[in-house]
Amino acid sequence: MTTAQSFTRHDITFPSGDSTCAGWLYLPKGVPSPPVVVLGHGLGATREMRLDAFAERFAQAGIAAVAFTYRHFGDSGGHPRQLLSIKRQLADWDAALAYVKARPDVDRTRVAVWGSSFGGGHAITVASRHPELRAAVAQCPFTDGLTSALALGPAASLKVVPVVARDLAARGRGKPPVMVPIAAAPGSSDLMNAPDALPGYQALQPPGTTFRNEVAARVIPTILAYRPGRAARKVTVPILFCVSDTDSVTPPAETLRYARTAPRGEIKRYDAGHFDFYTGETFEALVRDQTEFLARQLEPTAAASTP
């Protein structure tokens, strides 16, 4: 456990499916039964990659936070490693919600979800399935697999077809997965090859990170078919969309189109790239807007000013 001035951070694990997810629980000091927000990351990322920065700010505002890593990644359980399954990740979100709702030290009636990038798409899906939530935040959300693939260009998408075929064959023979890079240089055969993708991922990795820049290639067809933006119209709780106007990974025009279908949606736009959202002045603007939104929806009691 580590201690900060206005909150404590605890290492946690919770069951999900046939294994467990690892995470951090942030509890604000001096706030009995605080509301809580659950945070999940993007494509292949782990919670060490700046989820702590957001969770700390929410905890300082009197909102408990759970930041977790999906199964098959980082220090969470699950085999084979680096398997990105949309179905399993959504089950991990459900498991995280069940975990916080079972804790006696948080208010289970004031729960929100927060997701970034691929996790932002999951946050939309999860919020559409859990009307008991009080709020949701979708940061630079992945909303449409086909649109994201087209943004890479047909040539880049075709390059991964042989790799997918080899991985599917390996799965059929019970062999280890065939991997494809998550982020690489432009023109490479990977999931993301925008100019800012590889340096963006590298900038988020602290010393000793558990991140591996690869996933099993078999996920690619399911990513193409995943369109979580369509669920926005079914989200009945307040949801904040934080959109990059220059996003190279999740095209903003499509994201804005989906966001406007949410009955209680709010939209904030930022003149910054997809990976700029996690650091510097853009992070400060984002976390300020998100904290204001979550405080408005979750109504936390002010945290104590003393340790």
PDB file of all heavy atoms in Angstrom, residues 18 27 48 69 89 98 108-109 112 118-119 160 174 176 192 199 204-206 224 236 250 292 295:
ATOM      1  N   ASP A  18     -12.385 -17.301 -15.474  1.00  0.00           N
ATOM      2  CA  ASP A  18     -11.561 -18.393 -14.977  1.00  0.00           C
ATOM      3  C   ASP A  18     -10.269 -17.928 -14.332  1.00  0.00           C
ATOM      4  O   ASP A  18      -9.399 -18.735 -14.043  1.00  0.00           O
ATOM      5  CB  ASP A  18     -11.234 -19.356 -16.125  1.00  0.00           C
ATOM      6  CG  ASP A  18     -10.541 -18.645 -17.294  1.00  0.00           C
ATOM      7  OD1 ASP A  18     -10.335 -17.411 -17.209  1.00  0.00           O
ATOM      8  OD2 ASP A  18     -10.219 -19.320 -18.292  1.00  0.00           O
ATOM      9  N   LEU A  27      -8.631   5.187  -2.143  1.00  0.00           N
ATOM     10  CA  LEU A  27      -9.664   5.609  -1.197  1.00  0.00           C
ATOM     11  C   LEU A  27      -9.326   7.000  -0.667  1.00  0.00           C
ATOM     12  O   LEU A  27      -8.258   7.203  -0.083  1.00  0.00           O
ATOM     13  CB  LEU A  27      -9.762   4.624  -0.027  1.00  0.00           C
ATOM     14  CG  LEU A  27     -10.359   3.256  -0.335  1.00  0.00           C
ATOM     15  CD1 LEU A  27     -10.249   2.342   0.885  1.00  0.00           C
ATOM     16  CD2 LEU A  27     -11.823   3.387  -0.763  1.00  0.00           C
ATOM     17  N   GLU A  48      -0.633   0.748 -15.351  1.00  0.00           N
ATOM     18  CA  GLU A  48       0.529   1.578 -15.033  1.00  0.00           C
ATOM     19  C   GLU A  48       0.714   2.719 -16.017  1.00  0.00           C
ATOM     20  O   GLU A  48       1.438   3.678 -15.729  1.00  0.00           O
ATOM     21  CB  GLU A  48       1.807   0.724 -15.019  1.00  0.00           C
ATOM     22  CG  GLU A  48       1.836  -0.358 -13.973  1.00  0.00           C
ATOM     23  CD  GLU A  48       1.341  -1.700 -14.493  1.00  0.00           C
ATOM     24  OE1 GLU A  48       0.691  -1.716 -15.553  1.00  0.00           O
ATOM     25  OE2 GLU A  48       1.606  -2.724 -13.843  1.00  0.00           O
ATOM     26  N   THR A  69      -6.278  -3.849 -14.695  1.00  0.00           N
ATOM     27  CA  THR A  69      -5.685  -4.368 -15.928  1.00  0.00           C
ATOM     28  C   THR A  69      -6.489  -5.585 -16.375  1.00  0.00           C
ATOM     29  O   THR A  69      -6.811  -6.448 -15.560  1.00  0.00           O
ATOM     30  CB  THR A  69      -4.212  -4.765 -15.706  1.00  0.00           C
ATOM     31  OG1 THR A  69      -3.473  -3.596 -15.319  1.00  0.00           O
ATOM     32  CG2 THR A  69      -3.601  -5.356 -16.961  1.00  0.00           C
ATOM     33  N   GLN A  89     -12.915  -8.923 -22.019  1.00  0.00           N
ATOM     34  CA  GLN A  89     -12.680  -7.610 -21.419  1.00  0.00           C
ATOM     35  C   GLN A  89     -13.972  -7.000 -20.891  1.00  0.00           C
ATOM     36  O   GLN A  89     -13.984  -6.377 -19.827  1.00  0.00           O
ATOM     37  CB  GLN A  89     -11.996  -6.684 -22.427  1.00  0.00           C
ATOM     38  CG  GLN A  89     -10.562  -7.091 -22.714  1.00  0.00           C
ATOM     39  CD  GLN A  89      -9.756  -6.033 -23.438  1.00  0.00           C
ATOM     40  OE1 GLN A  89     -10.283  -5.021 -23.899  1.00  0.00           O
ATOM     41  NE2 GLN A  89      -8.450  -6.254 -23.537  1.00  0.00           N
ATOM     42  N   ALA A  98     -18.841  -5.579  -9.999  1.00  0.00           N
ATOM     43  CA  ALA A  98     -19.298  -6.453  -8.915  1.00  0.00           C
ATOM     44  C   ALA A  98     -18.386  -6.320  -7.702  1.00  0.00           C
ATOM     45  O   ALA A  98     -18.849  -6.331  -6.547  1.00  0.00           O
ATOM     46  CB  ALA A  98     -19.342  -7.904  -9.400  1.00  0.00           C
ATOM     47  N   ARG A 108     -22.088   1.887  -3.000  1.00  0.00           N
ATOM     48  CA  ARG A 108     -22.416   1.092  -4.190  1.00  0.00           C
ATOM     49  C   ARG A 108     -23.530   1.711  -5.027  1.00  0.00           C
ATOM     50  O   ARG A 108     -23.784   1.270  -6.151  1.00  0.00           O
ATOM     51  CB  ARG A 108     -22.810  -0.325  -3.765  1.00  0.00           C
ATOM     52  CG  ARG A 108     -24.129  -0.425  -3.019  1.00  0.00           C
ATOM     53  CD  ARG A 108     -24.345  -1.810  -2.465  1.00  0.00           C
ATOM     54  NE  ARG A 108     -23.401  -2.115  -1.411  1.00  0.00           N
ATOM     55  CZ  ARG A 108     -23.291  -3.325  -0.841  1.00  0.00           C
ATOM     56  NH1 ARG A 108     -24.037  -4.320  -1.271  1.00  0.00           N
ATOM     57  NH2 ARG A 108     -22.435  -3.525   0.125  1.00  0.00           N
ATOM     58  N   THR A 109     -24.199   2.736  -4.509  1.00  0.00           N
ATOM     59  CA  THR A 109     -25.267   3.390  -5.274  1.00  0.00           C
ATOM     60  C   THR A 109     -24.747   4.559  -6.101  1.00  0.00           C
ATOM     61  O   THR A 109     -25.498   5.147  -6.884  1.00  0.00           O
ATOM     62  CB  THR A 109     -26.379   3.907  -4.344  1.00  0.00           C
ATOM     63  OG1 THR A 109     -25.880   5.010  -3.562  1.00  0.00           O
ATOM     64  CG2 THR A 109     -26.877   2.808  -3.426  1.00  0.00           C
ATOM     65  N   ALA A 112     -19.481   5.013 -11.163  1.00  0.00           N
ATOM     66  CA  ALA A 112     -19.293   5.479 -12.546  1.00  0.00           C
ATOM     67  C   ALA A 112     -18.222   4.625 -13.213  1.00  0.00           C
ATOM     68  O   ALA A 112     -17.441   3.934 -12.543  1.00  0.00           O
ATOM     69  CB  ALA A 112     -18.887   6.950 -12.575  1.00  0.00           C
ATOM     70  N   PHE A 118      -9.599   2.224 -26.562  1.00  0.00           N
ATOM     71  CA  PHE A 118     -10.409   1.014 -26.695  1.00  0.00           C
ATOM     72  C   PHE A 118     -11.283   0.826 -25.458  1.00  0.00           C
ATOM     73  O   PHE A 118     -12.436   0.402 -25.546  1.00  0.00           O
ATOM     74  CB  PHE A 118      -9.493  -0.198 -26.904  1.00  0.00           C
ATOM     75  CG  PHE A 118     -10.155  -1.348 -27.611  1.00  0.00           C
ATOM     76  CD1 PHE A 118     -10.575  -1.226 -28.933  1.00  0.00           C
ATOM     77  CD2 PHE A 118     -10.352  -2.559 -26.978  1.00  0.00           C
ATOM     78  CE1 PHE A 118     -11.184  -2.285 -29.596  1.00  0.00           C
ATOM     79  CE2 PHE A 118     -10.949  -3.622 -27.627  1.00  0.00           C
ATOM     80  CZ  PHE A 118     -11.372  -3.484 -28.940  1.00  0.00           C
ATOM     81  N   GLY A 119     -10.733   1.176 -24.291  1.00  0.00           N
ATOM     82  CA  GLY A 119     -11.518   1.137 -23.061  1.00  0.00           C
ATOM     83  C   GLY A 119     -12.631   2.169 -23.055  1.00  0.00           C
ATOM     84  O   GLY A 119     -13.645   1.991 -22.367  1.00  0.00           O
ATOM     85  N   VAL A 160      -2.055  -7.352 -42.494  1.00  0.00           N
ATOM     86  CA  VAL A 160      -2.186  -8.214 -41.320  1.00  0.00           C
ATOM     87  C   VAL A 160      -2.942  -9.502 -41.620  1.00  0.00           C
ATOM     88  O   VAL A 160      -2.988 -10.400 -40.781  1.00  0.00           O
ATOM     89  CB  VAL A 160      -2.886  -7.464 -40.160  1.00  0.00           C
ATOM     90  CG1 VAL A 160      -2.088  -6.241 -39.750  1.00  0.00           C
ATOM     91  CG2 VAL A 160      -4.315  -7.074 -40.535  1.00  0.00           C
ATOM     92  N   GLY A 174      -3.636 -25.882 -31.306  1.00  0.00           N
ATOM     93  CA  GLY A 174      -3.256 -25.802 -29.902  1.00  0.00           C
ATOM     94  C   GLY A 174      -1.878 -25.234 -29.676  1.00  0.00           C
ATOM     95  O   GLY A 174      -1.255 -25.464 -28.635  1.00  0.00           O
ATOM     96  N   PRO A 176       1.020 -21.920 -29.451  1.00  0.00           N
ATOM     97  CA  PRO A 176       1.025 -20.557 -28.903  1.00  0.00           C
ATOM     98  C   PRO A 176       0.550 -19.545 -29.951  1.00  0.00           C
ATOM     99  O   PRO A 176       0.725 -19.757 -31.158  1.00  0.00           O
ATOM    100  CB  PRO A 176       2.494 -20.330 -28.534  1.00  0.00           C
ATOM    101  CG  PRO A 176       3.058 -21.694 -28.345  1.00  0.00           C
ATOM    102  CD  PRO A 176       2.340 -22.568 -29.332  1.00  0.00           C
ATOM    103  N   MET A 192      -1.806  -0.437 -35.040  1.00  0.00           N
ATOM    104  CA  MET A 192      -1.794   1.021 -35.144  1.00  0.00           C
ATOM    105  C   MET A 192      -0.452   1.471 -35.707  1.00  0.00           C
ATOM    106  O   MET A 192       0.593   1.166 -35.120  1.00  0.00           O
ATOM    107  CB  MET A 192      -2.032   1.671 -33.772  1.00  0.00           C
ATOM    108  CG  MET A 192      -3.439   1.525 -33.256  1.00  0.00           C
ATOM    109  SD  MET A 192      -3.715   2.451 -31.723  1.00  0.00           S
ATOM    110  CE  MET A 192      -2.846   1.424 -30.564  1.00  0.00           C
ATOM    111  N   PRO A 199       5.479   6.274 -30.680  1.00  0.00           N
ATOM    112  CA  PRO A 199       6.004   7.159 -29.625  1.00  0.00           C
ATOM    113  C   PRO A 199       4.975   7.450 -28.547  1.00  0.00           C
ATOM    114  O   PRO A 199       5.327   7.659 -27.388  1.00  0.00           O
ATOM    115  CB  PRO A 199       6.400   8.434 -30.379  1.00  0.00           C
ATOM    116  CG  PRO A 199       5.692   8.361 -31.688  1.00  0.00           C
ATOM    117  CD  PRO A 199       5.539   6.911 -32.003  1.00  0.00           C
ATOM    118  N   LEU A 204       3.969   6.494 -22.517  1.00  0.00           N
ATOM    119  CA  LEU A 204       3.093   6.149 -21.392  1.00  0.00           C
ATOM    120  C   LEU A 204       3.695   5.092 -20.482  1.00  0.00           C
ATOM    121  O   LEU A 204       3.125   4.786 -19.441  1.00  0.00           O
ATOM    122  CB  LEU A 204       1.742   5.648 -21.908  1.00  0.00           C
ATOM    123  CG  LEU A 204       0.920   6.609 -22.762  1.00  0.00           C
ATOM    124  CD1 LEU A 204      -0.413   5.983 -23.135  1.00  0.00           C
ATOM    125  CD2 LEU A 204       0.716   7.937 -22.054  1.00  0.00           C
ATOM    126  N   GLN A 205       4.833   4.520 -20.860  1.00  0.00           N
ATOM    127  CA  GLN A 205       5.393   3.400 -20.119  1.00  0.00           C
ATOM    128  C   GLN A 205       6.368   3.878 -19.054  1.00  0.00           C
ATOM    129  O   GLN A 205       7.428   4.404 -19.372  1.00  0.00           O
ATOM    130  CB  GLN A 205       6.106   2.444 -21.074  1.00  0.00           C
ATOM    131  CG  GLN A 205       5.223   1.839 -22.131  1.00  0.00           C
ATOM    132  CD  GLN A 205       6.009   1.016 -23.131  1.00  0.00           C
ATOM    133  OE1 GLN A 205       6.894   0.251 -22.762  1.00  0.00           O
ATOM    134  NE2 GLN A 205       5.698   1.175 -24.410  1.00  0.00           N
ATOM    135  N   PRO A 206       6.036   3.681 -17.774  1.00  0.00           N
ATOM    136  CA  PRO A 206       6.984   4.032 -16.717  1.00  0.00           C
ATOM    137  C   PRO A 206       8.055   2.954 -16.603  1.00  0.00           C
ATOM    138  O   PRO A 206       7.920   1.860 -17.167  1.00  0.00           O
ATOM    139  CB  PRO A 206       6.098   4.057 -15.470  1.00  0.00           C
ATOM    140  CG  PRO A 206       5.037   3.037 -15.758  1.00  0.00           C
ATOM    141  CD  PRO A 206       4.776   3.130 -17.240  1.00  0.00           C
ATOM    142  N   LEU A 224     -12.463  -5.222 -35.983  1.00  0.00           N
ATOM    143  CA  LEU A 224     -13.096  -4.618 -37.154  1.00  0.00           C
ATOM    144  C   LEU A 224     -14.613  -4.614 -37.017  1.00  0.00           C
ATOM    145  O   LEU A 224     -15.294  -3.692 -37.476  1.00  0.00           O
ATOM    146  CB  LEU A 224     -12.688  -5.373 -38.417  1.00  0.00           C
ATOM    147  CG  LEU A 224     -11.220  -5.250 -38.844  1.00  0.00           C
ATOM    148  CD1 LEU A 224     -10.936  -6.161 -40.025  1.00  0.00           C
ATOM    149  CD2 LEU A 224     -10.883  -3.813 -39.197  1.00  0.00           C
ATOM    150  N   THR A 236     -28.482   5.531 -20.811  1.00  0.00           N
ATOM    151  CA  THR A 236     -29.477   6.406 -20.191  1.00  0.00           C
ATOM    152  C   THR A 236     -28.897   7.274 -19.079  1.00  0.00           C
ATOM    153  O   THR A 236     -29.560   8.194 -18.607  1.00  0.00           O
ATOM    154  CB  THR A 236     -30.632   5.567 -19.618  1.00  0.00           C
ATOM    155  OG1 THR A 236     -30.112   4.625 -18.660  1.00  0.00           O
ATOM    156  CG2 THR A 236     -31.352   4.812 -20.728  1.00  0.00           C
ATOM    157  N   THR A 250      -8.819   7.031 -33.472  1.00  0.00           N
ATOM    158  CA  THR A 250     -10.283   6.939 -33.422  1.00  0.00           C
ATOM    159  C   THR A 250     -10.840   8.205 -34.086  1.00  0.00           C
ATOM    160  O   THR A 250     -10.968   9.242 -33.432  1.00  0.00           O
ATOM    161  CB  THR A 250     -10.784   6.825 -31.967  1.00  0.00           C
ATOM    162  OG1 THR A 250     -10.298   7.940 -31.211  1.00  0.00           O
ATOM    163  CG2 THR A 250     -10.282   5.541 -31.332  1.00  0.00           C
ATOM    164  N   GLU A 292     -14.801  17.598 -12.713  1.00  0.00           N
ATOM    165  CA  GLU A 292     -16.010  18.431 -12.537  1.00  0.00           C
ATOM    166  C   GLU A 292     -17.258  17.642 -12.901  1.00  0.00           C
ATOM    167  O   GLU A 292     -18.270  17.686 -12.186  1.00  0.00           O
ATOM    168  CB  GLU A 292     -15.885  19.677 -13.412  1.00  0.00           C
ATOM    169  CG  GLU A 292     -17.000  20.699 -13.220  1.00  0.00           C
ATOM    170  CD  GLU A 292     -18.270  20.359 -14.002  1.00  0.00           C
ATOM    171  OE1 GLU A 292     -18.149  19.734 -15.079  1.00  0.00           O
ATOM    172  OE2 GLU A 292     -19.384  20.705 -13.537  1.00  0.00           O
ATOM    173  N   ALA A 295     -17.846  14.842 -10.247  1.00  0.00           N
ATOM    174  CA  ALA A 295     -18.298  15.419  -8.983  1.00  0.00           C
ATOM    175  C   ALA A 295     -19.753  15.871  -9.086  1.00  0.00           C
ATOM    176  O   ALA A 295     -20.541  15.712  -8.134  1.00  0.00           O
ATOM    177  CB  ALA A 295     -17.401  16.591  -8.593  1.00  0.00           C
TER     178      ALA A 295
END
